[in-house]
Amino acid sequence: MKTIILPAMLLTAPAAAWAQAPADDGSDTPIIVTGAGLPLPPGTPAYGSVVIARERLENSASGRIETVLGDVAGFQQFRRSDSRSANPSAQGATLRALGGNASSRTLVLLDGVPMADPFFGYIPFSALVPDRLSVVRVTRGGGIGAFGAGAVAGSIELASATRDQLPNFAASAFYGSRDATEMSGALTADLGGGYATLSGRWDRGDGFQTTPGDQRTAATVPAAYDGWSTNLRAVASISAHSELQFRATLFRDERTLRFSGADSSSEGQDASIHYIHRGAWQVDALAYIQSRNFSNIVISSSSFRKSLDQRNTPSTGVGGKIELRPPVGEDHVLRLGADTRFATGDMFENAYNAGDPANPLTSLRHAGGDQITTGVFAEDDWTIGNLVLTGGVRADHWSISNGFYQQVTPAGAITRNDRYADRSDWQFSGRAGALYRFSDAVAVRAAGYTGFRLPTLNELYRPFTVFPITTRANAALTPEKLKGAEAGIDLTPLPGLTLSATGFYNRLDDAIANVTIDAVTRERRNVDAIVAKGVELTASGRMGAMLLSASYAYSHSTVKAPGEPFDGLTPNQSPRHAASATLAWEPTHGPALSATLRYVSKQYEDDLQSDVLPDALTLDAVARMPVGHGVTLVARGENLFDETVVTRNAGGSMDLGTPRTLWIGVRFAR
């Protein structure tokens, strides 16, 4: 049997499935993508999605995955900062303007493995290097389906680069504004019927001033950063239809935010093993383990002394999944499976009297707990001529246990010792969709779905302070539950040009929000609901060497909380308008140029809409000049307009996002 290797991104076509391609002798030959997962079921397009190809992942002005994800209008983090200047614990991902509280409402998967921190729920974006990826698929909405719990706002699926996309050796080095450096390298070698690739990246910078000029003090410093990550991925062929995929990632990220001594660090050691069988009975089996940690020092903005040392937050995530696709006929793709996810974590922190020049230790705090979610699912895609019907159901049993919060004096006297009751329940979810192709140029789709997300251990047990606001934890939080529906149309009016429009309605019941109690206090609470409705437009096209991709999202989001002062208001961190457009000149040979324009309308820092984050328009650009022998010179520019991007506004105390940043560097691939 002959094996044909294709880029994984080719499997993003609407009808992608385990395919047959003609061999040289005219016979049907299986197309195998070495290092990829099982092909997408034919009903996938019914839920609408945006695909970011490898070419775009390799050519962004920032070189960071969260910036590339901004190509999909509606993608947002809790704050507008990227992973160089944001506190790591604030880097939750969400879609469709469903509000933010720093935990991810979007399920982010790398080769099927959930990437959210087991304790906080944030995404370690600095460890997700775009050069290591083959393709990204962003599905806004869509329910949880076979993904598992957590996808209440949608899913972001990252796929590792496959062998045909990886040169034997690649390296790059960049120097940027404010003495920033970025270096990366990768080695890939064939091993028997498989391959192994080892990659690493290190970047650092003196950082920019996140504090506006009129708010700076002698203690104010730039947001310096220093981080590295390394990744080993190996693929071993077991038989003509089976392979094992192994991945291990280590990373560490250190940042300084706003004040001298306000240092944070995050680190992780992740590993997974993936078994893929592409025979008559297709199998996708996965097991993974994650070990993470986070530390953070809070500096008082009045005395500039240490007020809190979140010195240690170890957490562990363990999980797995098995999916079977039995042979039920050419018209059906049936998926049966089960998955489980366990998370445990502890918080150790020391509180200090920042008002005393001696800065004495006042208390030691310890909190933590466990969570586990185990589900079973069934989903079927049925192709009837030009019509594809898809539907699935899930049953998940969840539990929250061993929760506690303890506080003691430096002498060891216990001043607080809370133990929280264990809880568990079942959650049933489902989704259904339809896709009808009138012709190669016109397709319509519709879908309805439900989903849920457990509160994170952070939301349940860890209070935090971002001056002047203290946000209290809430051990009584219940799961968020989503109901949603959408309909759309996909057009291909000309070869190489695609246009899509989607209208959606999502309702997130028991949404977890940071609710204002008084001028300096908030608390995490379940509010009745957040209702988001709107329209999403996307376009992509190629004319010769010219490429265009664009995305726009209009989201009208409202909090439903009868009797509360924020009833009827827009949820915090939820812009009404978001847009992105990239225009590129990409000839087969010679220089290349691309520019990306992004716009985000105003949004609010708080639930009462008292603190505004103004709208922002930014321009990025990348220029590449091949010089031969695998060497390419690259110039990159971020925020070329030098737009002032306000990322936090608490009573006028502000943080700013990335100013104009210029890079020059070289890449080598052979």
Side-chain angles (χ1 to χ4, degrees):
M1 179 186 299
K2 181 189 296 183
T3 298
I4 300 176
I5 308 298
L6 291 179
M9 59 182 292
L10 295 183
L11 294 182
T12 61
W18 173 241
Q20 298 289 321
D24 295 339
D25 59 4
S27 62
D28 285 342
T29 303
I31 299 176
I32 299 175
V33 182
T34 303
L38 292 180
L40 297 172
T44 300
Y47 300 104
S49 60
V50 178
V51 171
I52 303 174
R54 179 168 171 82
E55 289 81 358
R56 173 59 180 153
L57 293 167
E58 291 183 303
N59 292 287
S60 72
S62 70
R64 313 188 85 80
I65 187 64
E66 64 271 25
T67 305
V68 180
L69 290 172
D71 286 2
V72 181
F75 167 80
Q76 64 182 101
Q77 300 178 78
F78 180 57
R79 304 206 185 279
R80 296 172 174 178
S81 306
D82 64 26
S83 55
R84 292 167 292 192
S85 61
N87 187 289
S89 65
Q91 292 197 269
T94 193
L95 296 160
R96 287 196 166 161
L98 283 171
N101 65 353
S103 297
S104 289
R105 287 192 167 120
T106 299
L107 183 62
V108 179
L109 303 168
L110 174 57
D111 298 329
V113 177
M115 293 307 297
D117 182 89
F119 186 90
F120 291 92
Y122 70 82
I123 308 301
F125 285 115
S126 61
L128 302 175
V129 179
D131 292 353
R132 298 173 186 162
L133 301 177
S134 167
V135 69
V136 176
R137 174 180 291 272
V138 180
T139 303
R140 296 171 284 197
I144 61 176
F147 295 120
V152 293
S155 58
I156 299 174
E157 301 166 78
L158 313 175
S160 292
T162 51
R163 179 63 182 102
D164 58 299
Q165 298 171 324
L166 296 169
N168 294 332
F169 175 71
S172 67
F174 286 87
Y175 182 79
S177 302
R178 296 169 291 278
D179 200 26
T181 57
E182 175 193 307
M183 301 180 66
S184 65
L187 287 169
T188 304
D190 296 316
L191 298 175
Y195 65 92
T197 180
L198 176 65
S199 62
R201 172 168 160 164
W202 171 63
D203 56 4
R204 61 153 305 278
D206 291 344
F208 60 91
Q209 288 282 2
T210 62
T211 308
D214 61 355
Q215 296 182 11
R216 295 174 193 167
T217 70
T220 303
V221 296
Y225 64 95
D226 192 334
W228 60 267
S229 68
T230 186
N231 186 79
L232 171 65
R233 188 166 190 257
V235 177
S237 178
I238 300 174
S239 68
H241 298 289
S242 303
E243 67 183 38
L244 277 178
Q245 303 171 7
F246 171 80
R247 181 177 58 82
T249 301
L250 287 75
F251 66 90
R252 183 174 176 83
D253 194 334
E254 298 178 350
R255 309 175 198 177
T256 298
L257 304 177
R258 196 176 177 92
F259 297 120
S260 176
D263 302 326
S264 68
S265 70
S266 60
E267 63 182 22
Q269 302 86 39
D270 295 2
S272 65
I273 188 165
H274 207 162
Y275 171 73
I276 300 292
H277 179 70
R278 302 183 178 92
W281 278 78
Q282 296 183 37
V283 180
D284 183 337
L286 169 70
Y288 63 88
I289 184 170
Q290 300 162 325
S291 177
R292 306 280 181 84
N293 206 336
F294 171 79
S295 67
N296 183 54
I297 295 176
V298 180
I299 299 296
S300 168
S301 61
S302 55
S303 68
F304 310 115
R305 302 185 187 97
K306 181 165 56 178
S307 62
L308 190 67
D309 183 358
Q310 299 164 332
R311 55 187 176 85
N312 196 18
T313 316
S315 63
T316 302
V318 179
K321 169 187 172 180
I322 184 167
E323 177 183 323
L324 305 177
R325 299 186 186 182
V328 292
E330 295 182 357
D331 296 335
H332 288 269
V333 175
L334 177 63
R335 307 168 70 186
L336 305 171
D339 54 61
T340 188
R341 194 183 315 169
F342 170 74
T344 183
D346 291 85
M347 173 207 75
F348 298 89
E349 64 181 29
N350 299 342
Y352 294 82
N353 183 352
D356 186 334
N359 203 198
L361 176 67
T362 58
S363 63
L364 295 87
R365 302 164 185 168
H366 182 199
D370 303 327
Q371 291 181 332
I372 187 168
T373 305
T374 301
V376 294
F377 63 87
E379 190 158 276
D380 183 55
D381 291 20
W382 183 15
T383 302
I384 312 169
N386 292 338
L387 174 67
V388 180
L389 300 176
T390 179
V393 293
R394 282 189 64 93
D396 287 276
H397 183 267
W398 60 265
S399 68
I400 299 173
S401 59
N402 302 319
F404 69 94
Y405 184 95
Q406 184 181 74
Q407 182 171 295
V408 301
T409 68
I414 297 176
T415 57
R416 183 173 170 183
N417 191 16
D418 298 336
R419 294 292 185 269
Y420 305 110
D422 295 349
R423 295 180 284 154
S424 64
D425 202 354
W426 284 90
Q427 185 68 41
F428 298 94
S429 309
R431 65 177 188 170
L435 172 73
Y436 186 79
R437 294 188 177 87
F438 288 96
S439 66
D440 291 339
V442 181
V444 295
R445 50 186 163 77
Y449 39 79
T450 63
F452 81 103
R453 179 185 77 89
L454 282 184
T456 63
L457 298 173
N458 175 58
E459 292 169 317
L460 291 165
Y461 307 126
R462 174 185 170 265
F464 70 95
T465 299
V466 179
F467 185 84
I469 306 297
T470 295
T471 302
R472 301 192 303 227
N474 184 352
L477 292 172
T478 60
E480 299 178 329
K481 296 175 283 293
L482 176 85
K483 297 187 288 288
E486 61 188 65
I489 184 170
D490 302 316
L491 304 174
T492 309
L494 298 171
L497 175 64
T498 60
L499 306 170
S500 296
T502 302
F504 67 89
Y505 176 92
N506 284 181
R507 180 185 176 95
L508 186 65
D509 292 314
D510 296 322
I512 299 171
N514 295 336
V515 175
T516 297
I517 307 300
D518 55 43
V520 295
T521 309
R522 294 178 187 154
E523 184 178 64
R524 299 186 182 102
R525 292 183 180 176
N526 291 104
V527 301
D528 282 13
I530 294 174
V531 175
K533 50 191 174 183
V535 176
E536 298 158 345
L537 307 176
T538 61
S540 64
R542 174 187 281 272
M543 180 182 296
M546 188 70 70
L547 288 83
L548 170 68
S549 64
S551 180
Y552 167 74
Y554 169 78
S555 306
H556 186 280
S557 298
T558 305
V559 178
K560 303 297 184 184
E564 297 287 354
F566 49 84
D567 180 43
L569 300 184
T570 301
N572 65 326
Q573 309 295 339
S574 299
R576 184 152 299 187
H577 302 275
S580 175
T582 298
L583 183 64
W585 173 259
E586 299 279 355
T588 304
H589 304 286
L593 177 68
S594 67
T596 300
L597 192 67
R598 291 195 180 92
Y599 174 76
V600 179
S601 65
K602 74 174 182 180
Q603 58 198 71
Y604 298 98
E605 177 76 25
D606 64 324
D607 56 329
L608 299 181
Q609 298 189 2
S610 57
D611 296 321
V612 177
L613 305 176
D615 62 349
L617 178 69
T618 60
L619 175 67
D620 296 347
V622 179
R624 306 194 311 275
M625 172 68 77
V627 296
H629 304 288
V631 177
T632 302
L633 300 179
V634 182
R636 309 185 327 210
E638 305 177 60
N639 192 6
L640 293 176
F641 293 153
D642 203 22
E643 176 85 344
T644 298
V645 181
V646 179
T647 63
R648 183 188 67 91
N649 179 10
S653 174
M654 293 184 179
D655 287 338
L656 306 178
T658 306
R660 183 187 295 118
T661 302
L662 304 178
W663 297 86
I664 188 70
V666 60
R667 289 177 178 164
F668 175 80
R670 183 61 67 86

